[in-house]
Structure formats: C-alpha cells, structure tokens
Amino acid sequence: MRVKIMFALFVIAGIAAASAYTGNVPAINWTDSTRDVYVDNELDRGAQVLSSDSPSRLALLSPKLESAIVLDVAAHTVSTMSKDLFQFGADRTTAASEAVGAIKAVGKFTRVDGPIYFFVVDGKPVLIRAHPGATGELTMDKLWETVLVWRSVMNDYEPNAQAVAAIKSNDKDTTVTLALGTWCPDSKNYIPRLIKALRAAGNDKIQVKLIGIDNQFREPVDTVQPRRITNVPTVIVERGGREIDRIVETPAAATMEEDVAAILSGRKAPALVRGNHKLHGDDRTRTRFNVDGKTMTARMRGSVSGVISQTLEVPQRFFLSSPSIAAQGFMQPQDGDRYQISSYATPLEFDKALGTLATVSCEAKGDETIRTPAGEFRARHLTRRSEKETFEWWLHTKLDIPVKGQSSGVEYVLTSLELFSNR
C-alpha cells in the first residue's frame, strides 16, 4: 500500500494500566498477519504478528519484548503471556496457544487512522500498523529480511518433483519475474514455495527476478503499468525480451511450479482468476468486494487506471450481481417464490469502473426439464427484473448453477458439465 504514514511516537500519559489479573487463556488458533512493528521507535523486522477471530485478537512476539503481547481488538485491552505458550506449525504461519497459560492485563491500546495500534509495555512504546509492502527489485536477502516468515514457508516446502525436473530440463535462456506483495497472503503462500522449486531445479538458463509491488498497485511505476500488474503474485515468463505467458495470483495446477513447467515446455498455462476480472486488449481490470456490517467497498485495480475505490451503504440483505453467468446461481428466493432485494450490479462495460445499487425483483416459476448441449436437467425457472433489464434463468435444482439464460434476445446455455468428488 503506498500510504506513507508520518508519525511521532509519544509515550501517552494516562494510558490507564488496568488492574493486573491472572486467569486461564482459552485455546486459540492463530494465523500469521504481516504488519510493520515499531518497538521503542525502531522498526522491528524480527517481530511476528498473529491474528485470531471470535473474538478478534492480535498477538505480537518480538525479540525486543520479554513476553508475548495480546490485543483484544473489541475491548481495546493489552495483555501479556509467555511466548512459550505458542506452539507453531513447521512453516510458522500458524500457531496455537495453550489453554492453561496465565494472561496478565497491562493496559489499553489506542487505535488511530484505521488498523494502527499504539500502546506502551515494559516502558517501551509499541506501534503496529499495516505493512505497505517492499517495492522495486528485491534481492533474496532483502525479501527474507522484510518478511522473515516467508523463509520458513520455503524451508518447510517439498516441491513437486516432476515439475522441478521439467524446469531443470529447460535449455533456453529464460527470465522468470516474480511480481509479489510482501503484504499479500497469496504471495506468502505461493512465492516462497516457487522459489524453493526454482532453486531445486538449479537451472543456469533461468534468471529469476523479484519485484515488490505496494498494496495500492502504484509502485514501482515502471513495473505496474508497463507490465499490466493488477494482482499479486504475478509470475511472468519471458524469452528474448518477449513474454511467453504469465500466472496471475493463483496457479491453475496444484502448484506454481507445475504451471511454470507447463509454460517452459510450450504448453500454455490455463488461467484461473477470482472476482470480477476483465480484459480489453492489453488493458486489465480486477475488482474485489468487501462487506463490513452495512458498508460495502469495491476496489478496482487497473493496469492503466491504478486503484479506484467505491464505498456504499448496503442493507442487511443484498445481492452482488457479477457479469459471470455462473454467479447468477447465488441469487435464490429465500422467503417464498417472490421477493425484492437490493442488488449491487458490477458494470459490463470496460470503461465503467464501478457499479450501482438497485432494487431487483425475483419470481420463481417452478421446475422444468431443460435440454442443453451439456445434457438434460431439471431446472428451476426464475425471472429477475431490474430498472434496465429482465433476465430469465433456469437453475439446476441441486447444483444451483444456471443451465440456461435469456436476456435482450441473447440466449445462454450450458455446453459442458464436469463433476468432481471431494474424496
């Protein structure tokens, strides 16, 4: 995130130390949460922040502090507990705290300007804030210094042997650029593991470059727009200065190295994206949606436009209407066969970045037998009307996916259907 926060740390007089007490800590499952931590006014790269839900908590483990610090986000309390009570997974991205440990309340924290937490413990001012991301070309040492836990993720990983062998057999000069966000959970999940696979291949014909992208997708300017980076991680494979293919955010195969191996061998890696993703020539946009209570935020990232945000107040029940046909199955009548619901409609046109909130009526017309190229199905017939258009949808009675649709003279039909078992 290219949000430069200038701050001065002051010891806040009057942080009321709550009366200390000792009690039993309930069993808690924790997940690594990349943050910037300042202890005694200095950035502490050795610190690790963990988060948990129900209730929302943050835990801070720092070599500069004797005890682990636990913040109760709702109660604004600061407590300490022994670091030994945290049992970490092998890659240090998860942990569990024991249920028998003693916790001691030591005060309150101050929350300012969103997710910035300030408190004093052991006489030291501590500040936790969002990590904006390292930017520009990075060395391996700089990457591990910035996000220490990534090294643990790499060390704990066993790459796909067949993919490593395929990467090792590449005999052409190739550059693999890893555009990543040190703030990004997907980057943390995939990039260290891909680095391990590329190292295991040990192919001198492959040059690996690491480029950090800030979490507003504005820096570095000579990479984000020219390379059309809208999501991280993005893995770009090039030969002779020409892009062969890229992997955007999520591998189509089980692992990143399998996709890289497919690209190197001349097989185009299939694309797998999530959310509202649109292409128009060389331009790309990606929109994600977040709902917090009655507020919805839509953030569109474009390879040309940068980041655009839209915030709307939404009712308790509303529907997100995406251009994706498959997404239409998520809007089903809940209270009888007729009802109205607010719908946020994402735009179909490339030149419109943000959507609108409108009222949509829905009427169920019963089950019908529908024949399509994918086969014959029992489907529930629905009519949806908004101010601008009317849709007729036939949804599979068991899978809730559209098998047929009609609107403005255009008909959509299911052409193929493949079902997989979870076992």
Side-chain angles (χ1 to χ4, degrees):
M1 180 178 292
R2 196 182 176 232
V3 178
K4 295 184 178 178
I5 304 175
M6 304 300 293
F7 57 84
L9 297 181
F10 300 97
V11 177
I12 298 180
I15 282 191
S19 56
Y21 68 92
T22 300
N24 287 333
V25 180
I28 305 172
N29 293 320
W30 302 91
T31 303
D32 179 74
S33 178
T34 304
R35 309 287 178 105
D36 280 352
V37 177
Y38 292 80
V39 178
D40 224 1
N41 299 345
E42 292 184 353
L43 181 61
D44 182 4
R45 285 300 187 199
Q48 183 174 12
V49 176
L50 306 168
S51 64
S52 71
D53 297 322
S54 302
S56 179
R57 298 182 180 96
L58 293 179
L60 166 63
L61 289 86
S62 166
K64 296 184 177 182
L65 300 173
E66 293 184 4
S67 302
I69 309 301
V70 178
L71 307 184
D72 186 312
V73 175
H76 282 226
T77 58
V78 181
S79 303
T80 61
M81 61 186 290
S82 172
K83 295 178 182 179
D84 294 337
L85 298 176
F86 288 83
Q87 304 298 318
F88 281 87
D91 63 4
R92 289 195 66 85
T93 61
T94 59
S97 59
E98 296 181 4
V100 296
I103 186 168
K104 180 181 180 181
V106 296
K108 295 271 189 177
F109 67 79
T110 301
R111 183 169 178 172
V112 293
D113 195 22
I116 301 177
Y117 305 90
F118 176 78
F119 54 93
V120 177
V121 67
D122 296 337
K124 299 176 180 179
V126 179
L127 185 140
I128 303 173
R129 52 162 265 187
H131 173 62
T135 60
E137 193 160 344
L138 305 173
T139 64
M140 289 291 179
D141 288 342
K142 180 63 176 178
L143 180 63
W144 307 141
E145 174 191 338
T146 304
V147 276
L148 188 61
V149 74
W150 285 32
R151 193 170 210 160
S152 300
V153 174
M154 180 189 71
N155 290 337
D156 184 58
Y157 181 59
E158 188 64 36
N160 180 285
Q162 289 183 332
V164 169
I167 294 171
K168 188 173 183 176
S169 67
N170 170 70
D171 60 357
K172 298 181 178 66
D173 290 331
T174 306
T175 299
V176 178
T177 299
L178 313 182
L180 57 94
T182 53
W183 49 271
C184 168
D186 283 332
S187 293
K188 175 171 59 181
N189 184 42
Y190 292 114
I191 292 300
R193 293 177 168 90
L194 179 55
I195 290 173
K196 180 76 172 283
L198 293 170
R199 282 186 169 183
N203 190 330
D204 293 337
K205 290 285 187 179
I206 299 177
Q207 179 186 10
V208 179
K209 290 184 178 180
L210 305 177
I211 299 180
I213 309 295
D214 78 291
N215 63 2
Q216 287 295 311
F217 286 80
R218 295 172 182 165
E219 296 287 347
V221 293
D222 60 351
T223 298
V224 174
Q225 291 190 8
R227 295 272 193 157
R228 309 187 313 279
I229 304 295
T230 60
N231 300 82
V232 287
T234 293
V235 179
I236 303 173
V237 182
E238 297 170 294
R239 285 182 179 144
R242 183 179 65 85
E243 179 177 330
I244 301 173
D245 203 352
R246 66 173 58 194
I247 308 163
V248 179
E249 190 175 30
T250 308
T255 66
M256 278 281 188
E257 61 263 28
E258 291 175 77
D259 276 12
V260 171
I263 294 171
L264 293 175
S265 65
R267 305 192 309 273
K268 187 176 179 64
L272 175 63
V273 295
R274 297 169 180 169
N276 177 20
H277 182 255
K278 291 185 286 183
L279 300 175
H280 185 268
D282 287 336
D283 295 338
R284 300 166 181 255
T285 65
R286 178 68 179 264
T287 307
R288 283 182 179 263
F289 307 93
N290 180 67
V291 179
D292 183 5
K294 294 184 178 181
T295 302
M296 188 194 76
T297 302
R299 297 180 75 250
M300 189 277 287
R301 297 199 301 265
S303 56
V304 175
S305 61
V307 178
I308 300 173
S309 293
Q310 178 186 29
T311 301
L312 293 172
E313 294 296 316
V314 294
Q316 185 174 2
R317 292 182 59 196
F318 78 101
F319 171 64
L320 182 63
S321 177
S322 164
S324 168
I325 293 175
Q328 299 304 318
F330 294 116
M331 187 178 179
Q332 291 265 28
Q334 302 295 323
D335 304 318
D337 289 338
R338 294 185 182 185
Y339 77 114
Q340 288 188 328
I341 191 170
S342 294
S343 172
Y344 177 85
T346 59
L348 293 172
E349 297 83 3
F350 182 83
D351 58 349
K352 294 182 180 179
L354 303 173
T356 56
L357 194 65
T359 299
V360 174
S361 62
C362 186
E363 180 181 359
K365 296 186 173 181
D367 294 351
E368 302 176 14
T369 298
I370 300 296
R371 292 180 178 85
T372 74
E376 183 176 289
F377 307 98
R378 289 295 291 174
R380 192 179 193 194
H381 184 187
L382 300 176
T383 299
R384 294 181 188 148
R385 294 185 177 87
S386 65
E387 294 179 0
K388 295 183 178 180
E389 58 186 352
T390 298
F391 270 102
E392 302 286 335
W393 290 106
W394 286 263
L395 305 183
H396 194 293
T397 54
K398 294 182 179 179
L399 301 177
D400 290 338
I401 60 171
V403 297
K404 182 179 176 181
Q406 292 176 344
S407 177
S408 303
V410 178
E411 182 173 86
Y412 309 89
V413 293
L414 185 66
T415 58
S416 65
L417 178 64
E418 225 176 326
L419 301 178
F420 297 89
S421 172
N422 289 329
R423 295 177 294 177

